[in-house]
């Protein structure tokens, strides 16, 4: 039977809890949009996540402020959980890991050791047969556990059924050895993603675009190299296609992912969903010919030190603040620092109720900027809280709801709000490598 993972802990009220980890992804954090909410101040909004691959459960830190620890070792890279492990979140929540069984996982049967297996199983098979009063073949490859059940369950009929099932299982052995998951774990997938799409079908959305934090262009963003358990979450690549995107699509995917990660306080695995690339690319094509945009990017780069100081003082990332100012300037060239200074008040008022730990939160702040100017700091927060109530959007996660894409598609934000946020994202994408888009400026690289 499939393994189950249970988490045993004491919650913020001092009550003992035992929670079953369900689904392929399971998030733990301070806020209600997680699968498991533990409302303690030393946990981040999204603190850690557990992902399931067959019967293997992988835990990773979600960029938390106070860290995730497994058996007193800080979780720097995704790691598999074992029965009896101790998981500590932020130094304040101790979780005892309980697996329904603690058998080795993800190990396909050896392809060339059938004789050795038969020698190991033969005595058990003979013993079980003797207990039943019936003869058993010396070369039987019955698993010990099943044969030991035969005397208890009794009956020749059950023995025949087990034999048929084992023969069918042995026939499928080579396929397990070929397609087994020992080829390497993939540490972050979309829940709707298929592992091996047919060659004649359209590949589902990719889940990750590799980036770096320098101005060096990145190529082959969808390389079909499996991720390695020793890689850091930020550098892990989870390909869903053997054919890399080309031309504008690849440039948009790579550079938008780079920008999204730079504007977030803690969101190292964010990426732009493939279905939104055409919309963003269209906006980029509208903006890239602007001489004012090139001038404002150059101005931001020259004023890097001032922007970085202002961002630090107001708990923003420098990239977020600079691109917000350039977006506000629009088609006019101007003083990026002065413009950013004029925006800080409204953005700071939105930062606490909306948040800026995640990239999508930062986009929502930009969408709500005019509300912030009007002093309506809680309007966006209230909208998100209302839409995240399960009965209002059944079957949709709160994290998916908290995006400009979902809110626009469902008529929850205005066209002007979406347009301002989309322009912000387009300018930020261009700013990562302007010459990729024909803009004569250097990357600003403020973070």
């Amino acid at each position: 039977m499939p393994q189950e993972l249970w988490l045993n802990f004491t919650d913020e009220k001092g009550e003992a809890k035992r929670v079953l980890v369900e689904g392929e992804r399971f998030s733990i954090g301070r806020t209600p949009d997680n699968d498991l909410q533990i409302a303690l101040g030393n946990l981040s909004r999204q603190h850690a996540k557990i992902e399931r691959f067959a019967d293997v459960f992988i835990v990773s830190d979600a960029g938390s402020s106070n860290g995730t620890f497994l058996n007193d070792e800080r979780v720097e890279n995704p790691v598999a959980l074992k029965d009896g492990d101790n998981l500590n979140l932020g130094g304040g929540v101790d979780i005892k890991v309980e697996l329904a069984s603690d058998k080795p996982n993800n190990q396909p049967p050896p392809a060339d050791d059938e004789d050795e297996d038969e020698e190991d199983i033969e005595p058990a098979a003979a013993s079980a047969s003797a207990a039943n009063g019936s003869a058993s073949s010396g070369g039987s490859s019955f698993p010990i556990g099943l044969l030991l059940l035969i005397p208890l369950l009794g009956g020749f009929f059950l023995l025949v059924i087990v034999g048929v099932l084992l023969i069918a299982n042995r026939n499928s052995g080579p396929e397990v050895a070929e397609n087994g998951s020992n080829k390497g774990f993939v540490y972050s997938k979309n829940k709707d993603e298929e592992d091996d799409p047919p060659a004649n079908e359209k590949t589902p959305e990719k889940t990750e675009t590799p980036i770096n934090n320098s101005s060096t262009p990145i190529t082959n963003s969808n390389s079909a190299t499996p991720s390695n358990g020793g890689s850091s979450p930020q550098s892990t690549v989870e390909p869903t296609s053997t054919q890399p995107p080309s031309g504008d699509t690849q440039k948009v995917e790579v550079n938008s992912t780079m920008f999204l990660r730079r504007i977030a306080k803690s969101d190292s695995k964010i990426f732009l969903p493939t279905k939104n690339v055409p919309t963003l690319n269209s906006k980029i094509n509208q903006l890239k010919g602007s001489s004012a945009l090139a001038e404002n990017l150059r101005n931001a780069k020259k004023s890097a030190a001032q922007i970085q100081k202002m961002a630090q003082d107001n708990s923003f990332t420098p990239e977020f603040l600079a691109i917000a100012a350039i977006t506000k300037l629009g088609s006019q060239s101007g003083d990026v620092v002065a413009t950013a200074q004029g925006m800080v008040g409204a953005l700071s008022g939105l930062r606490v109720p909306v948040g800026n730990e995640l990239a999508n939160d930062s986009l929502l702040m930009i969408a709500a900027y005019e509300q912030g100017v009007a002093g309506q700091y809680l309007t966006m927060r209230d909208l998100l809280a209302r839409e995240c109530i399960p009965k209002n959007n059944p079957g949709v996660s709160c994290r998916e709801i908290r995006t400009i894409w979902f809110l626009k598609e469902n008529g929850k934000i205005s066209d002007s709000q979406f347009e301002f946020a989309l322009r912000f994202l387009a300018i930020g994408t261009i700013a990562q490598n302007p010459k990729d888009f024909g803009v004569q400026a250097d990357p600003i690289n403020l973070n």
Side-chain angles (χ1 to χ4, degrees):
M1 62 180 290
Q3 283 202 112
E4 292 183 342
L5 175 62
W6 294 85
L7 304 178
N8 300 276
F9 64 98
T10 301
D11 68 8
E12 66 274 15
K13 298 178 182 178
E15 298 176 356
K17 297 289 185 180
R18 185 171 182 262
V19 176
L20 176 65
V21 173
E22 297 182 287
E24 293 182 0
R25 290 184 176 185
F26 187 89
S27 64
I28 307 172
R30 191 180 70 239
T31 55
D33 51 320
N34 291 282
D35 298 298
L36 172 58
Q37 179 193 13
I38 305 176
L40 289 174
N42 50 346
L43 268 68
S44 295
R45 287 183 53 185
Q46 186 183 50
H47 195 99
K49 63 181 177 180
I50 298 173
E51 297 175 273
R52 179 173 189 153
F53 304 96
D55 280 344
V56 178
F57 294 87
I58 305 295
V59 64
S60 59
D61 186 78
S64 66
S65 299
N66 296 322
T68 300
F69 301 84
L70 183 64
N71 300 326
D72 297 325
E73 296 288 333
R74 186 164 189 140
V75 176
E76 301 286 356
N77 303 310
V79 60
L81 292 170
K82 304 186 300 298
D83 185 58
D85 278 345
N86 288 301
L87 190 63
N88 179 278
L89 305 182
V93 181
D94 286 306
I95 299 175
K96 185 76 170 180
V97 173
E98 177 188 344
L99 288 171
S101 62
D102 196 20
K103 299 176 181 178
N105 297 296
N106 270 346
Q107 294 297 324
D112 300 317
D113 295 327
E114 292 184 4
D115 292 339
E116 181 180 341
D117 291 344
E118 289 173 0
E119 288 180 10
D120 293 340
I121 296 172
E122 181 178 351
S127 173
S129 178
N132 246 340
S134 60
S136 176
S137 170
S140 171
S141 61
F142 285 27
I144 295 172
L146 287 176
L147 286 173
L148 292 177
L149 289 175
I150 291 175
L152 299 175
L153 298 177
F156 178 76
F157 181 68
L158 179 59
L159 179 61
V160 173
I161 293 176
V162 173
V164 171
L165 291 174
L166 287 172
I167 291 171
N169 184 59
R170 289 192 63 187
N171 289 339
S172 65
E175 180 178 348
V176 175
E178 178 181 354
N179 296 328
S181 59
N182 62 325
K183 294 180 181 178
F185 295 123
V186 178
Y187 289 119
S188 181
K189 287 186 177 182
N190 279 345
K191 61 185 178 182
D192 299 325
E193 178 185 324
E194 296 179 3
D195 287 332
D196 294 298
N200 61 347
E201 291 184 8
K202 183 178 179 181
T203 303
E205 291 181 21
K206 74 179 187 66
T207 61
E208 191 82 25
T209 302
I211 68 161
N212 64 13
N213 286 325
S214 69
S215 59
T216 305
I218 304 169
T219 59
N220 197 19
S221 65
N222 278 339
S223 169
T225 303
S227 61
N228 188 316
S231 300
S232 68
Q234 189 163 352
S235 62
T236 301
V237 182
E238 294 82 50
T240 62
S241 171
T242 58
Q243 297 296 325
S246 59
D248 289 345
T249 298
Q250 183 182 32
K251 293 175 185 177
V252 171
E253 288 178 339
V254 170
N255 289 291
S256 64
T257 297
M258 191 184 304
F259 175 61
L260 287 170
R261 293 182 182 177
R262 286 178 170 172
I263 64 174
K265 299 288 285 186
S266 174
D267 204 0
S268 63
K269 301 197 77 173
I270 185 67
F271 66 95
L272 180 71
T274 301
K275 66 180 180 180
N276 299 325
V277 170
T279 302
L280 178 58
N281 191 37
S282 176
K283 177 56 62 177
I284 288 172
N285 288 332
Q286 293 176 17
L287 298 174
K288 65 184 183 181
S290 168
S291 59
L293 173 59
E295 179 61 30
N296 290 334
L297 288 172
R298 290 192 288 268
N299 183 278
K301 187 174 181 65
K302 291 177 183 176
S303 307
Q306 294 169 274
I307 295 172
Q308 288 166 340
K309 179 65 165 57
M310 190 188 312
Q312 182 179 2
D313 291 344
N314 293 278
S315 298
F316 295 113
T317 68
E319 201 95 356
F320 171 83
L321 204 54
I323 301 303
I326 296 173
T327 303
K328 182 73 165 56
L329 286 169
S331 59
Q332 303 294 319
S333 59
D335 188 331
V336 175
V337 172
T339 304
Q341 186 64 59
M343 299 179 74
V344 161
L347 292 173
S348 294
L350 293 166
R351 180 175 55 79
V352 174
V354 177
N356 68 338
E357 290 187 9
L358 304 180
N360 281 320
D361 293 346
S362 294
L363 292 177
L364 290 171
M365 270 203 299
I366 294 297
Y369 173 69
E370 290 300 330
Q371 293 174 342
V373 171
Q376 300 169 0
Y377 301 124
L378 302 183
T379 303
M380 179 63 76
R381 184 206 66 176
D382 293 345
L383 168 66
L384 297 172
R386 185 168 60 250
E387 294 303 314
C388 282
I389 297 174
K391 69 177 182 179
N392 290 339
N393 289 287
V396 184
S397 70
C398 191
R399 183 155 184 170
E400 180 181 350
I401 292 169
R402 292 177 63 95
T403 67
I404 59 170
W405 313 100
F406 178 90
L407 296 177
K408 174 63 170 64
E409 183 179 345
N410 290 273
K412 303 302 179 181
I413 59 175
S414 66
D415 290 343
S416 62
Q417 287 178 308
F418 179 77
E419 166 66 21
F420 194 58
L422 181 62
R423 180 149 44 106
F424 169 81
L425 179 56
I427 293 172
T429 300
I430 293 171
Q432 305 313 299
N433 284 294
K435 291 176 183 176
D436 277 358
F437 302 96
V439 176
Q440 296 308 305
D442 293 326
I444 56 178
N445 291 334
L446 295 177
N447 285 17

